[in-house]
Amino acid sequence: MQTDAAILEVHNVTRQFGGLTAVNKVSLSLVPGEIRALIGPNGAGKTSLFNLISGVLPCSSGQIRFKGEDITHLPSYRRFKLGMGRSFQIVNLFADLTVEENVRIAVQAALKRTTHPFEWIDHKAVLQRMQDVLAQFNWIKDAQAKAGSLNYAEQKKLETLMALTSNPDLLLLDEPTAGIDEEDIALMIEMIVSSSENRTILLTDHDIRFVMKIADRITVLDQGAIIAEGTPEEIAANPLVDEVYFGGSR
Ligand SMILES: Nc1ncnc2c1ncn2[C@@H]1O[C@H](COP(=O)(O)OP(=O)(O)O)[C@@H](O)[C@H]1O
Ligand SMILES: [Mg+2]
């Protein structure tokens, strides 16, 4: 992989919580347009690494570069402005707003990446884009429903849709399919893949079949450290991954 073409470069990053090393000297490099899955057992450090990349938590040591710029010490909002977006493992929506209003917020977030705070906003264009996004997915049955009244799977799908609509160049998705069924996973794949053309995605998930289907490359984390990286085929054939991730039970 060519490092100079990378959109995201994580270099030797460590994060300690007291005596616990949650992320241990992790280095990884993502090329523009790839879908990378980060897998590993519970507590491996996946969410912590997302928090370091998105600036929710500071690194204890190491360096993170995004689009060639050193962002190690930049606050989250600056990373957002540079073109980074994320979803959370726990659903994070405006529960008291409608589905439509939530989508509109994501459309406006996409605009905010590229415009000055006092720049004139074309509200008609915002509404049009919102309608287009809503029309694209027929799982949205009632755009006027309050987001908080949706079932869990619909909330997860709406959250992912918002993350995609906010149009980041690099999107971090933390467990997008957690707690949702096969049919909704298929919809999730459709949403992510159909929007992935000009986007780089780093995602974590427990559903290994989903990961195998969607990822171009897979990075395996165990106890904070990377133990393997490769194509889905290479990872599936890796005995170390089998041992750590599946307990050798396959
Ligand atoms: N804010 C925190 N304070 C202390 N320990 C934490 C914190 N966040 C995560 N950890 C610990 O770091 C390790 C990695 O957790 P996490 O990144 O959530 O793993 P994963 O997402 O792979 O399940 C776990 O042992 C977890 O208990
Ligand atoms: Mg996690």
Side-chain angles (χ1 to χ4, degrees), residues 17 50 65 93 100 119 138 141 143 163 179 209 218 224 226:
F17 295 111
F50 271 30
R65 298 180 76 83
L93 292 166
E100 187 178 87
E119 205 167 307
N138 60 8
K141 289 173 194 78
R209 279 172 306 169
I218 298 175
I226 292 177

Side-chain angles (χ1 to χ4, degrees), residues 41-48 50 89 174-175 204 206:
N42 243 331
K46 304 181 294 294
T47 298
S48 298
F50 271 30
Q89 188 169 342
D174 200 356
E175 308 221 4
T204 74
H206 276 111

Side-chain angles (χ1 to χ4, degrees), residues 101-135:
E101 288 164 334
N102 272 279
V103 171
R104 196 181 70 207
I105 286 166
V107 172
Q108 285 171 330
L111 266 178
K112 282 205 183 110
R113 290 181 196 284
T114 51
T115 54
H116 186 274
F118 298 139
E119 205 167 307
W120 184 75
I121 291 176
D122 183 350
H123 292 280
K124 246 175 100 176
V126 170
L127 288 177
Q128 187 58 53
R129 172 83 185 116
M130 178 193 80
Q131 301 290 358
D132 292 347
V133 171
L134 288 168

Side-chain angles (χ1 to χ4, degrees), residues 227-228 233-250:
I227 59 160
E233 296 72 30
E234 287 164 351
I235 294 301
N238 186 320
L240 187 59
V241 176
D242 187 32
E243 180 60 36
V244 168
Y245 196 66
F246 302 99
S249 61
R250 282 193 308 176

Side-chain angles (χ1 to χ4, degrees), residues 38-249:
L38 185 65
I39 65 170
N42 243 331
K46 304 181 294 294
T47 298
S48 298
L49 183 56
F50 271 30
N51 287 337
L52 301 177
I53 294 170
S54 59
V56 171
L57 284 174
C59 302
S60 302
S61 61
Q63 193 194 47
I64 302 174
R65 298 180 76 83
F66 181 49
K67 296 181 176 174
E69 185 173 332
D70 184 349
I71 61 160
T72 317
H73 303 291
L74 285 191
S76 284
Y77 78 92
R78 294 274 304 278
R79 301 183 197 207
F80 168 85
K81 270 275 190 187
L82 283 174
M84 203 185 279
R86 73 171 287 182
S87 75
F88 289 83
Q89 188 169 342
I90 300 156
V91 174
N92 188 16
L93 292 166
F94 297 98
D96 56 337
L97 298 184
T98 65
V99 170
E100 187 178 87
E101 288 164 334
N102 272 279
V103 171
R104 196 181 70 207
I105 286 166
V107 172
Q108 285 171 330
L111 266 178
K112 282 205 183 110
R113 290 181 196 284
T114 51
T115 54
H116 186 274
F118 298 139
E119 205 167 307
W120 184 75
I121 291 176
D122 183 350
H123 292 280
K124 246 175 100 176
V126 170
L127 288 177
Q128 187 58 53
R129 172 83 185 116
M130 178 193 80
Q131 301 290 358
D132 292 347
V133 171
L134 288 168
Q136 209 182 337
F137 298 102
N138 60 8
W139 58 264
I140 302 173
K141 289 173 194 78
D142 182 6
Q144 304 306 325
K146 290 268 160 69
S149 74
L150 303 179
N151 67 35
Y152 181 74
E154 286 169 332
Q155 291 193 7
K156 287 291 279 190
K157 284 185 290 184
L158 178 57
E159 194 191 22
T160 302
L161 179 59
M162 286 177 70
L164 292 166
T165 302
S166 74
N167 204 23
D169 299 318
L170 171 68
L171 176 59
L172 312 173
L173 293 171
D174 200 356
E175 308 221 4
T177 75
I180 71 174
D181 64 19
E182 292 277 317
E183 204 179 314
D184 285 318
I185 290 173
L187 277 167
M188 197 70 90
I189 291 176
E190 187 193 317
M191 272 199 305
I192 295 171
V193 171
S194 72
S195 84
S196 67
E197 206 168 297
N198 299 310
R199 195 185 317 291
T200 311
I201 293 176
L202 177 62
L203 58 86
T204 74
D205 215 274
H206 276 111
D207 184 337
I208 199 70
R209 279 172 306 169
F210 166 76
V211 164
M212 290 288 172
K213 243 185 240 166
I214 201 166
D216 297 312
R217 291 180 72 77
I218 298 175
T219 300
V220 188
L221 213 55
D222 184 42
Q223 296 181 28
I226 292 177
I227 59 160
E229 191 179 301
T231 63
E233 296 72 30
E234 287 164 351
I235 294 301
N238 186 320
L240 187 59
V241 176
D242 187 32
E243 180 60 36
V244 168
Y245 196 66
F246 302 99
S249 61

